[in-house]
Amino acid sequence: MSAEADLIKLYSGKILQLAADIPHTEPLDQPMASAKKRSPLCGSTVTVSLNVDGGRISAFSQDVKACALGQAAAAVVGANAIGRDAAEIEKARDQLKAMLKEGGPAPEAPFDGLEVLMPARDYRNRHASIMLALEATLEALNAARETACA
């Protein structure tokens, strides 16, 4: 298969549909914590702001400046972040990383929608952008928990 055909396959209609409909993009009025993650290779960024109640994400906002793959990942994360705790976000992050780098299965529910990014396994230069949303969410969640405990 040609490189052009591979790229067409990579940017499937489902990925483009997710990228065009990222949830929770409106800023929060007074977030407990925020975290910005950047991919040094491509310059993609994802900034997550959130609130936590009882150790779980109670409000979530994201500012996504990334390629379609990073946007698609952010769409799936944004659709499922509210109600999750740090262990669930960390598990999803680790499962996504294993899917991309080690040929592992797609993350478990509720983040199983990240399976759409499985074709990106062969494009290592895109992995960092795909990981940004979960990494920023986990960092912001941990910062919010630290603030709440202080």
Side-chain angles (χ1 to χ4, degrees), residues 59-144:
F60 181 88
S61 174
Q62 58 185 344
D63 181 26
V64 181
K65 307 273 191 280
C67 66
L69 299 173
Q71 291 175 34
V76 173
V77 171
N80 296 288
I82 294 175
R84 306 292 159 227
D85 64 19
E88 292 170 297
I89 299 297
E90 187 172 3
K91 180 179 178 182
R93 182 206 56 196
D94 293 348
Q95 289 177 338
L96 178 59
K97 185 176 182 180
M99 179 187 89
L100 293 171
K101 297 188 180 299
E102 301 164 13
E108 296 172 8
F111 296 100
D112 51 335
L114 293 167
E115 179 179 20
V116 72
L117 296 162
M118 213 171 272
R121 286 176 169 165
D122 297 333
Y123 298 89
R124 294 196 178 276
N125 60 335
R126 308 296 169 95
H127 292 182
S129 181
I130 293 168
M131 297 297 301
L132 292 174
L134 282 169
E135 290 173 345
T137 300
L138 185 59
E139 186 174 309
L141 181 52
N142 286 332

Side-chain angles (χ1 to χ4, degrees), residues 23-71:
H24 303 293
T25 57
E26 291 296 316
L28 297 179
D29 286 335
Q30 296 182 354
M32 293 174 71
S34 296
K36 181 176 183 176
K37 295 302 243 179
R38 181 181 178 275
S39 169
L41 187 60
C42 66
S44 292
T45 62
V46 174
T47 304
V48 169
S49 298
L50 50 72
N51 292 327
V52 176
D53 185 18
R56 296 189 173 276
I57 298 170
S58 59
F60 181 88
S61 174
Q62 58 185 344
D63 181 26
V64 181
K65 307 273 191 280
C67 66
L69 299 173
Q71 291 175 34

